[in-house]
Amino acid sequence: VERGTDCVVAFVEHHHRPRTEVMLHGLEQVPRGELDYRGTSFTEMDIDAVLARRPHVALVDELAHTNIPGSRNSKRWQDVEELLAAGIDVISAVNIQHLESLGDIVESITGVRQQETVPDEVVRRADQIELVDMSPQALRRRMAHGNIYQPDKVDAALSNYFRPGNLTALRELALLWVADRVDEYLQQYRSEHRVSKIWGSRERIVVGLTGGPEGRTLIRRAARLAEKGAGGEVLAVYIARSDGLTSASPKELALQRTLVEDLGGTFHHVVGDDIPAALLAFARGVNATQIVLGVSRRKSWQYVFGPGVGATVARDSGPDLDGHLITHDEAGKGRGGLSLPRAARLGRLRILWGWAVGVLGPALLTFLLTGVAPEVGLANDMLLFLTLTVAAALLGGLLPALASALVGSLLLNWYFTPPVHTLTIADPENIVAIAIFVGVAVSVASVVDLAARRTQQAARLRAESEILSFLAGNVLRGETGLEDLLERVRETFGMESAALLERQSDVDPWTCAGSVGPRPCTNPENADVDVSVGDHLAL
């Protein structure tokens, strides 16, 4: 008002507190509306009068208040929504114990169940949130001085609801809730401005899980680390390969999810083919300050194939993300304890071995047969070369086997088929034998390659089933909000934003049913979505 803003008091309940009542002097107040209920007259905020007055700012007290039956809206926060929709800015107030999500916690602390609540989302949508903080001792002094309750009610209040322990716990709840809101602003700012560097505003610890039993040890260790700092948070994450090459025991992951949630943390399921990169991307995305991993289960000789996830994460984490390698009972014992499927496709190392056997193997076999056992006979020579081709097919698939068949047939012709040291074949039977050799080699290679591709498809289907099961589990656990599910999808697949599109028929334009992330869906009608006719939902 001092700055010239058109501001009115739409509703304030001062409860006859002199210090509060004095503060209303000089402010324009909108008269209250009267309602009769069961023979008694009550007053409530007159929404129509406020809308007719159309101030720039309206002060509306007691946001969680329940209106008298017969009012236009059952809750005052719904009245506020109506004012906001009309373009009127609202300043309101709410106590921490009236937030809906904290009802059970407040009841366990104070022994009193709050009947008047306001959804957290309503408060979170506020443009500004200011915490009015006061120590329990100062608040109790205000009460003892008669600034809150009438003198005849002070003693009862101080010895019951307003005990120091209750006030300290409620104060901590308020601090943590507002800190989470500030953290949301920070995450949004970092996402909008493409900030990848970690800002250690609070201790946030990411635990990398493999699905092995050592995960429980890692979660407990991370929880102890989080307890050392105020507001510490634990985020357990399991990285699943999109091709299904690695898979953990669903039962073990369920146990670890329960454990981390019991300890006050959260569980996350992310898809990524490069596990170290996906783990670091998740940690930086949530602005983590520490990452906890278990000592590798690899045996000593397996390090020749690479440094492993722990060493790679430690090397690439940078100076802003601290890494912890935690010892456990499974360290160095190999991966036998994990529930892992057989390889769903031929790995890079296996393909290299296939090429080595397919190309270098025939040359080495030719050297041995010509130098050590020259009189084995053409039939046995062909069987030996065929064995190498089968081995190349089993290791590397189709192409190494075809190369082995080609190289083997040329070497058989040059060194072992009369006349030797020429590509000419004198005996027609030898031509048929070499042709059969090539045909069998190609057939075996084709069968092995087809089996590998079928196994890969099965692994992908299993991976997709795991993801669908994970998202369905969120619904069963009560995360039924569309934004919650979309946020899980966005996080799982490492997307910047996610939106759910819908349409009435296959000829109607797409509309956005929900969107999460820093880049909301603004033009759904122009979406290029490949959906079969009859399916009217797309992600």
Side-chain angles (χ1 to χ4, degrees):
V1 169
E2 290 175 352
R3 292 193 299 266
T5 303
D6 182 16
C7 178
V8 301
V9 176
F11 186 93
V12 162
E13 187 61 73
H14 51 71
H15 298 287
H16 304 292
R17 298 166 183 162
R19 292 176 180 269
T20 306
E21 193 172 1
V22 168
M23 296 176 67
L24 291 171
H25 293 173
L27 299 178
E28 178 184 349
Q29 300 185 50
V30 177
R32 300 186 183 186
E34 293 188 2
L35 290 173
D36 291 330
Y37 179 66
R38 294 183 177 179
T40 304
S41 179
F42 297 90
T43 60
E44 292 286 3
M45 179 174 65
D46 191 339
I47 302 178
D48 291 328
V50 179
L51 292 174
R53 172 62 177 76
R54 294 195 64 83
H56 181 67
V57 178
L59 177 63
V60 181
D61 196 12
E62 296 186 350
L63 184 64
H65 171 74
T66 300
N67 292 330
I68 296 298
S71 302
R72 179 187 305 180
N73 300 308
S74 60
K75 294 287 188 177
R76 183 160 293 159
W77 64 263
Q78 295 172 324
D79 297 338
V80 169
E81 295 279 322
E82 195 169 337
L83 297 180
L84 293 173
I88 301 174
D89 293 342
V90 174
I91 298 175
S92 188
V94 64
N95 292 338
I96 189 66
Q97 63 264 32
H98 293 298
L99 291 178
E100 195 171 77
S101 67
L102 301 178
D104 294 336
I105 300 176
V106 171
E107 183 179 10
S108 67
I109 294 172
T110 65
V112 178
R113 184 70 182 186
Q114 297 294 329
Q115 300 301 321
E116 294 185 327
T117 61
V118 57
D120 291 46
E121 181 58 28
V122 173
V123 183
R124 288 182 182 275
R125 286 203 305 266
D127 296 313
Q128 298 180 32
I129 295 179
E130 179 178 344
L131 174 65
V132 182
D133 184 33
M134 179 178 287
S135 69
Q137 294 77 13
L139 181 56
R140 286 169 60 85
R141 282 197 300 270
R142 287 192 69 232
M143 183 169 292
H145 293 160
N147 295 333
I148 300 177
Y149 284 165
Q150 296 296 324
D152 58 334
K153 299 180 180 179
V154 170
D155 290 339
L158 289 175
S159 59
N160 290 285
Y161 196 90
F162 289 86
R163 295 193 303 269
N166 289 359
L167 297 178
T168 301
L170 292 174
R171 184 189 190 195
E172 183 178 15
L173 281 178
L175 290 169
L176 291 176
W177 194 92
V178 174
D180 286 338
R181 179 55 175 158
V182 174
D183 190 64
E184 290 178 10
Y185 282 129
L186 178 61
Q187 296 285 14
Q188 181 179 355
Y189 179 87
R190 294 178 72 246
S191 177
E192 292 175 351
H193 292 78
R194 311 282 183 174
V195 178
S196 59
K197 184 178 179 180
I198 293 174
W199 291 352
S201 55
R202 62 187 294 189
E203 290 297 332
R204 185 172 284 108
I205 303 172
V206 169
V207 185
L209 302 177
T210 65
E214 74 278 4
R216 292 174 239 175
T217 301
L218 304 184
I219 292 171
R220 294 188 183 98
R221 186 71 178 91
R224 291 199 299 271
L225 289 173
E227 290 174 356
K228 295 180 180 180
E233 183 180 358
V234 176
L235 301 92
V237 56
Y238 170 68
I239 309 294
R241 293 281 294 269
S242 62
D243 53 15
L245 283 180
T246 59
S247 178
S249 166
K251 181 179 180 181
E252 181 62 34
L253 284 180
L255 291 174
Q256 294 176 14
R257 169 191 286 277
T258 302
L259 175 61
V260 71
E261 290 178 349
D262 288 344
L263 293 174
T266 56
F267 185 91
H268 304 264
H269 189 288
V270 176
V271 174
D273 291 327
D274 188 337
I275 293 179
L279 192 58
L280 287 172
F282 175 83
R284 292 193 173 97
V286 298
N287 202 29
T289 57
Q290 302 180 55
I291 187 166
V292 173
L293 298 172
V295 173
S296 178
R297 302 168 63 101
R298 287 183 170 192
K299 295 182 181 296
S300 300
W301 62 269
Q302 291 179 309
Y303 283 96
V304 300
F305 301 117
V309 173
T312 304
V313 169
R315 181 192 64 201
D316 298 339
S317 60
D320 52 355
L321 181 60
D322 296 335
H324 301 268
L325 287 180
I326 308 300
T327 57
H328 51 85
D329 294 337
E330 304 297 325
K333 294 183 179 180
R335 300 178 64 85
L338 294 178
S339 174
L340 297 175
R342 298 180 63 184
R345 66 179 181 187
L346 305 177
R348 181 182 302 176
L349 182 62
R350 186 172 169 180
I351 292 176
L352 292 177
W353 274 108
W355 279 103
V357 172
V359 176
L360 301 179
L364 180 60
L365 180 59
T366 300
F367 174 77
L368 294 176
L369 291 177
T370 55
V372 179
E375 303 299 333
V376 173
L378 181 60
N380 291 328
D381 293 337
M382 287 187 174
L383 289 175
L384 291 173
F385 275 96
L386 181 60
T387 301
L388 280 178
T389 302
V390 172
L394 293 173
L395 288 172
L398 182 61
L399 294 180
L402 293 179
S404 178
L406 177 61
V407 174
S409 62
L410 292 176
L411 292 176
L412 278 171
N413 190 353
W414 185 268
Y415 286 101
F416 304 102
T417 305
V420 297
H421 301 138
T422 67
L423 294 178
T424 304
I425 301 176
D427 190 347
E429 293 182 359
N430 293 336
I431 298 177
V432 175
I434 291 180
I436 292 174
F437 162 76
V438 175
V440 170
V442 172
S443 300
V444 171
S446 300
V447 170
V448 172
D449 184 70
L450 179 62
R453 285 189 282 112
R454 290 289 183 265
T455 307
Q456 181 182 1
Q457 292 173 359
R460 285 186 177 276
L461 289 175
R462 182 184 61 252
E464 293 173 0
S465 299
E466 288 180 359
I467 295 169
L468 291 175
S469 175
F470 172 75
L471 295 175
N474 294 329
V475 178
L476 296 177
R477 285 186 295 273
E479 299 178 14
T480 55
L482 178 58
E483 290 188 358
D484 293 334
L485 293 178
L486 287 177
E487 182 61 29
R488 284 291 189 181
V489 171
R490 186 196 67 79
E491 176 189 88
T492 298
F493 294 98
M495 297 182 290
E496 184 179 3
S497 300
L500 181 67
L501 307 183
E502 62 179 357
R503 60 183 179 182
Q504 299 300 319
S505 67
D506 56 330
V507 296
D508 292 329
W510 291 100
T511 59
C512 183
S515 178
V516 295
R519 297 176 59 188
C521 181
T522 55
N523 294 310
E525 65 276 4
N526 298 327
D528 183 12
V529 183
D530 185 13
V531 178
S532 303
V533 175
D535 297 334
H536 304 313
L537 285 174
L539 184 64

